């Protein structure tokens, strides 16, 4: 986690994934986004999927989803805290 402090409204976490590794399917944390910093990742939610490369930013969908690395990857996950 690179940014989270008491009373903060955002939490930002840098996540590195090796090829084929994934953040297993999970419930949406609420308002969140993923910024791909390096490599290629795929965000899957239901029947849809979005592939991201360096510099690509996507809002995390409100339904269950997973994120898998197509290449060695680094991403920045930002979550709004309520």
């Amino acid at each position: 986690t690179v940014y989270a402090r008491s009373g903060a409204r955002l939490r930002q976490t840098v996540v590195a994934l090796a090829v084929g590794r994934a953040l297993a399917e999970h419930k949406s944390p609420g308002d969140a986004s993923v910024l791909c910093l390096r490599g290629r990742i795929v965000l899957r939610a239901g029947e849809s999927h979005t592939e991201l490369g360096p510099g690509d930013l996507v809002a995390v969908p409100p339904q269950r989803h997973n994120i898998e690395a197509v290449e060695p990857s680094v991403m920045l996950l930002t979550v709004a805290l309520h």
Side-chain angles (χ1 to χ4, degrees):
T1 300
V2 293
Y3 180 80
R5 60 183 167 87
S6 180
R9 294 183 185 203
L10 293 176
R11 180 180 66 228
Q12 292 185 302
T13 306
V14 174
V15 179
L17 294 172
V19 174
R21 302 296 282 180
L23 296 178
E25 185 176 89
H26 57 281
K27 183 178 177 181
S28 179
D31 293 334
S33 66
V34 172
L35 172 64
C36 183
L37 300 173
R38 183 181 307 151
R40 296 202 80 69
I41 57 176
V42 177
L43 186 149
R44 290 184 180 86
E47 296 297 317
S48 68
H49 70 279
T50 304
E51 186 168 330
L52 295 92
D56 291 338
L57 174 70
V58 67
V60 175
Q63 69 263 38
R64 294 183 63 81
H65 61 277
N66 74 345
I67 299 174
E68 182 177 353
V70 178
E71 300 174 358
S73 300
V74 178
M75 63 184 159
L76 177 66
L77 172 64
T78 301
V79 177
L81 304 174
H82 301 285

